[in-house]
Amino acid sequence: MEVEDAMTDSVINLIHEVELNIFKQFRQLTSTLNINYIALGGTLLGAIRHQGFIPWDDDMDVGIPREDYERLLDLAPNILKNTHYFLQTPWSDSNYALSYAKLLDRNTFIEERNNVNNARKGIFLDIFPLDKIPASKERQRRQILDLRRLDSRIYLKLRYNIIDNPIRKFQNPLSPEQLQTAWEYKRQRQDTMTQFNKRPNLTVYKNLASQYAYDKELFTEDQLTNLIDLPFADTTIVAPADYDEILTNIYGDYMTLPPENARTEKHITRLIMDNQEFMV
């Protein structure tokens, strides 16, 4: 068991090294394009509690207000075209069903737990858009229900599954008509996410693709503009100066480590890079 744990730790460290390089590429993009971002969720927690990655975590999360997020999606592909990075979005990968972007290292291939699909795969950085939400609880409820309904339709149309099915490899590729239907659902989903952004009276933003409960990952305008640099591994990452309130809202007593049996927030189960295969 100790040998297995040591092997797993070494693979996680390798994943962290690749993710850190992806993040540095992302940070260069945001600097070039004069775009503000913030660390989110476990990445923000890691920066505060560990000055880097949470040791057992295997991804990085950042957020960008929608207007700058769309500018990144528009301009970054041209900057990245001669690199080994790919900006995966609902529009750049027709088989990709999620509502946010990923910056992938194309020199790697991964398989993820409970996530079987035909989208492009690689070690990644998650890039979430941050959108305004309505003040009314009923409108909030309606928006999130609409998003879940559209997510379900897209996942079904693009054949996302929890477990692999041997029959999957014998299925025909999706037809142009099926991909067009998925594209229309994606457009409806984006319209649902962005419907309140033009309302100046609304001042609360949310990561609408968040894994946390609805009221956990919310941000005020001040939290998105009053930013600081924090140490993160061998570099720095941008975070809201009011990180304590944000992390307390999500995790409660965030400086206390969880019990050992809960230190398992791993997404990646298989990694291929440098012509080697690693199981996590």
Side-chain angles (χ1 to χ4, degrees):
M1 178 62 108
E2 288 184 4
V3 173
E4 182 179 328
D5 287 345
M7 185 178 300
T8 297
D9 289 344
S10 69
V11 178
I12 293 295
N13 290 337
L14 179 60
I15 292 169
H16 286 173
E17 181 181 335
V18 176
E19 286 181 341
L20 201 58
N21 288 331
I22 299 173
F23 168 69
K24 290 173 182 177
Q25 176 65 68
F26 166 78
R27 191 178 57 187
Q28 180 60 49
L29 284 172
T30 59
S31 176
T32 299
L33 299 173
N34 194 28
I35 286 173
N36 286 329
Y37 75 91
I38 59 169
L40 293 181
T43 300
L44 178 59
L45 175 58
I48 298 300
R49 196 172 66 195
H50 305 275
Q51 292 74 56
F53 292 95
I54 296 173
W56 53 90
D57 203 1
D58 62 359
D59 72 347
M60 288 188 74
D61 300 327
V62 295
I64 304 178
R66 174 67 71 168
E67 185 175 352
D68 275 350
Y69 172 88
E70 293 297 337
R71 197 155 59 84
L72 179 77
L73 267 54
D74 183 43
L75 299 175
N78 188 56
I79 300 173
L80 295 169
K81 65 181 179 182
N82 294 319
T83 73
H84 58 92
Y85 296 103
F86 172 64
L87 187 61
Q88 184 177 43
T89 74
W91 323 113
S92 67
D93 182 347
S94 59
N95 287 299
Y96 180 66
L98 304 181
S99 61
Y100 52 93
K102 293 177 180 281
L103 186 58
L104 300 185
D105 185 327
R106 294 188 291 125
N107 290 341
T108 65
F109 174 83
I110 63 169
E111 291 179 356
E112 295 180 84
R113 180 176 288 107
N114 300 331
N115 189 15
V116 179
N117 58 74
N118 294 319
R120 293 178 70 164
K121 303 289 194 305
I123 296 178
F124 58 86
L125 167 76
D126 282 332
I127 309 171
F128 293 94
L130 304 176
D131 293 294
K132 287 185 177 183
I133 58 169
S136 160
K137 294 295 185 184
E138 179 53 37
R139 287 191 174 186
Q140 291 176 6
R141 177 178 171 277
R142 173 47 53 194
Q143 183 186 34
I144 207 69
L145 286 175
D146 287 345
L147 287 175
R148 287 172 180 163
R149 174 177 51 83
L150 288 163
D151 276 341
S152 295
R153 289 181 177 181
I154 296 165
Y155 298 154
L156 182 62
K157 185 61 66 176
L158 296 181
R159 300 173 181 167
Y160 271 55
N161 292 290
I162 299 296
I163 59 173
D164 202 359
N165 184 332
I167 297 174
R168 187 172 68 94
K169 62 175 64 118
F170 299 108
Q171 290 179 320
N172 292 326
L174 293 170
S175 68
E177 292 76 17
Q178 289 171 312
L179 290 173
Q180 179 62 29
T181 300
W183 188 94
E184 290 169 358
Y185 287 148
K186 291 177 183 180
R187 177 57 60 190
Q188 290 175 33
R189 179 176 63 188
Q190 179 155 314
D191 289 344
T192 301
M193 295 175 81
T194 60
Q195 63 185 302
F196 300 104
N197 286 349
K198 300 295 186 185
R199 302 195 181 181
N201 60 310
L202 298 177
T203 59
V204 177
Y205 294 75
K206 177 171 173 54
N207 172 11
L208 286 163
S210 176
Q211 64 176 314
Y212 303 109
Y214 189 92
D215 61 350
K216 293 294 186 183
E217 207 165 11
L218 306 177
F219 306 94
T220 65
E221 289 183 339
D222 181 68
Q223 288 172 332
L224 295 181
T225 54
N226 186 10
L227 307 176
I228 58 173
D229 288 327
L230 295 173
F232 195 94
D234 66 357
T235 185
T236 60
I237 196 166
V238 175
D242 192 18
Y243 62 81
D244 179 68
E245 180 174 334
I246 293 167
L247 289 174
T248 300
N249 189 42
I250 297 174
Y251 301 107
D253 179 13
Y254 60 87
M255 292 302 288
T256 299
L257 291 173
E260 287 197 26
N261 62 4
R263 302 176 192 178
T264 56
E265 293 183 347
K266 297 183 177 70
H267 303 82
I268 298 172
T269 58
R270 178 171 173 248
L271 164 66
I272 298 176
M273 65 178 293
D274 297 331
N275 295 317
Q276 297 183 73
E277 180 177 358
F278 305 91
M279 305 303 291
V280 182

